[in-house]
Every structure is written in C-alpha cells, then in structure tokens.
Amino acid sequence: MAASTVPLSCFKLNHQPNLLHGCSKSSNQTLLKFNFSPLLISSRSGSRRFRVLPETITVKLEEEEKENESTADLDPPATTNTKLYFGNLPYNVDSATLAQIIQDFANPELVEVLYNRDTGQSRGFAFVTMSNVEDCNIIIDNLDGTEYLGRALKVNFADKPKPNKEPLYPETEHKLFVGNLSWTVTSESLAGAFRECGDVVGARVVYDGDTGRSRGYGFVCYSSKAEMETALESLDGFELEGRAIRVNLAQGKKF
C-alpha cells in the first residue's frame, strides 16, 4: 500500500470516522498516520479536489515546530547576578565602613550590613550590589580571604556556594597555645618567631571582633610532634616584642 506525505497547512480532510492509525513524535515534529477508505480531499479554497484511493497518509505537523520556535523567542533573558556576599565581618563594621573598603577597588551600588533586630548588633555578614560582573570579580579577587581587624573576610557571589578552600590558617594535631603576646604581634611575626624551631604549618593571633585589637594570645601548628616539643622547650618564656611569651600544649590535644 502506498504512502504519501501531505503538509497539514495545505489541505483539509472531509469528515471520516476512525481514520487515525498512529501517532509518533520527535523533538521537532509530530507525524500522524491515517488509514483512508476512498474519499475526497479538497483545498481550503475549494478550487481543487483530489480523489484518494485506499492507502496510508502520513501528515507532518510542521506548524508545531514553528509554534515552539515562537515560544522560545518569548522566553525572558537570563538575569546577570551582581550581588556579593561578605561574611566573617568584624562586628563593628557598618555599611559605611564596608563601602569604604570596597571603594578602594570598585564603586558599589548598594551595601547592606545585616543586624540582629533584638540587640541591634551586626550579624557579621553583608550583601553588596555592584554595577557589573567585572566589578564583582575584582572585589572577590582582592578581598576574599584578606584579613581585616583580625578576621579573614569571605567574599563570593550571593547565590553561588563558596567552594571549599584550604583554610587560611591550616591546623595539625601538633598545636601550641601561645599567651602573653604583645599587642603589636601579628600572625606573620608569630609564625616567623616559631619557624626557628621547625616547619610552621599555621599560626594565628586571635583578635577581638568588636574592637579589632589582639586578645594577647594565639596558636601555632607544626608539621611534626618533634618540632612542636622543641618549640615548647625552647620558646616558653622567650621575649617577643617586649613580652615573655607563655607556650603550652593547646587544650584538648592528645598525643
């Protein structure tokens, strides 16, 4: 039995019951198969008529593809995200202060530090809207991970989870507590002093989140137990920037 393909937009079918034989769909078209007994197919204008012998006619729904294309054209364009998340902010940093920090690299459109509605204290994070994605990347490259008033800032796109990074101050089980530090001692100078005894994996001075001042103590981690024990024996009572420091095993460490 012969088969023919007829564009649906060109012809109309005179009423015939039980004609549909099958239907198949692909990504861009629908094919309908009809089994006809002898009948007439006329053009829409009625000026031409065709006699069809018993056969199967396959009709391609070309209009469906055009409709899908038209719908796709109406889809709204994807919006560009220019909103940044700032985390681990010192509690005394307000929106004006944060704006000044950012303005060293690019001009923000909106800076919002979030506060606790009951206490009025900063919650330690903020949202910043920039003018474009390029400025966002500049801010992330220059401020993410930098230390401000004793805290390492966390900066990333607001709707994008921050990927896991190596910690700014990596730690090991070979950890020492260092007390009675001078207010002028920084994490870098602390690490430099303890490198005399071995490979310092990480060192940090602890700062007050409200005032930004050193709390007078910190921690140092070594790559081995032997190096840690050497520092414990050699540096306890050592004078660092005008003060005799106290060195002990960090609490909770088991060896």
Side-chain angles (χ1 to χ4, degrees), residues 4 13 17-26 29-36 55-61:
S4 303
L13 302 179
N18 302 320
L19 296 180
L20 184 60
H21 175 67
C23 175
S24 62
K25 292 187 177 182
S26 64
Q29 67 180 20
T30 301
L31 297 179
L32 302 178
K33 291 185 177 181
F34 296 88
N35 282 338
F36 291 98
E55 62 178 347
T56 299
I57 291 181
T58 302
V59 179
K60 178 182 177 182
L61 298 185

Side-chain angles (χ1 to χ4, degrees), residues 5-254:
T5 300
V6 182
L8 187 63
S9 57
C10 297
F11 298 95
K12 63 180 180 180
L13 302 179
N14 295 326
H15 175 68
Q16 291 283 326
N18 302 320
L19 296 180
L20 184 60
H21 175 67
C23 175
S24 62
K25 292 187 177 182
S26 64
S27 59
N28 61 357
Q29 67 180 20
T30 301
L31 297 179
L32 302 178
K33 291 185 177 181
F34 296 88
N35 282 338
F36 291 98
S37 57
L39 79 162
L40 293 177
I41 299 180
S42 62
S43 65
R44 287 180 175 174
S45 63
S47 61
R48 295 198 299 173
R49 305 184 73 185
F50 302 88
R51 181 174 179 80
V52 180
L53 296 176
E55 62 178 347
T56 299
I57 291 181
T58 302
V59 179
K60 178 182 177 182
L61 298 185
E62 296 177 328
E63 293 175 340
E64 182 178 290
E65 181 178 356
K66 295 179 181 179
E67 181 180 349
N68 290 338
E69 291 175 351
S70 299
T71 304
D73 293 340
L74 297 177
D75 289 342
T79 57
T80 302
N81 178 32
T82 59
K83 191 172 186 178
L84 297 175
Y85 166 83
F86 275 71
N88 203 35
L89 291 174
Y91 294 116
N92 60 339
V93 171
D94 57 16
S95 297
T97 304
L98 182 58
Q100 290 176 353
I101 296 171
I102 296 170
Q103 284 171 349
D104 287 340
F105 307 99
N107 292 320
E109 290 190 353
L110 180 65
V111 179
E112 298 176 282
V113 173
L114 277 72
Y115 294 86
N116 185 300
R117 65 178 62 185
D118 297 322
T119 65
Q121 187 181 41
S122 167
R123 296 170 65 184
F125 66 93
F127 293 101
V128 176
T129 302
M130 304 300 297
S131 300
N132 52 64
V133 176
E134 289 74 16
D135 285 350
C136 289
N137 289 325
I138 290 173
I139 296 302
I140 292 173
D141 291 342
N142 285 278
L143 292 179
D144 182 37
T146 60
E147 187 173 311
Y148 184 77
L149 297 181
R151 289 197 168 194
L153 302 180
K154 298 178 181 178
V155 187
N156 55 272
F157 281 100
D159 64 347
K160 186 176 182 181
K162 189 175 178 64
N164 291 328
K165 288 186 174 183
E166 289 296 322
L168 191 61
Y169 302 105
E171 294 189 352
T172 68
E173 61 179 346
H174 312 301
K175 185 176 181 180
L176 294 173
F177 169 85
V178 185
N180 200 39
L181 290 175
S182 168
W183 307 122
T184 60
V185 173
T186 65
S187 298
E188 291 74 18
S189 60
L190 180 64
F194 277 74
R195 284 195 186 100
E196 299 296 325
C197 297
D199 179 25
V200 174
V201 176
R204 67 185 178 98
V205 172
V206 178
Y207 292 85
D208 186 278
D210 294 322
T211 66
R213 291 187 60 188
S214 167
R215 291 185 175 178
Y217 68 91
F219 298 93
V220 176
C221 292
Y222 283 99
S223 58
S224 70
K225 182 179 179 181
E227 292 170 326
M228 179 192 68
E229 291 176 340
T230 298
L232 183 61
E233 295 174 1
S234 302
L235 296 179
D236 184 35
F238 173 78
E239 185 173 308
L240 179 62
E241 298 187 19
R243 283 194 178 186
I245 61 175
R246 299 193 309 270
V247 182
N248 302 298
L249 294 178
Q251 292 183 0
K253 298 286 110 180
K254 297 180 180 180

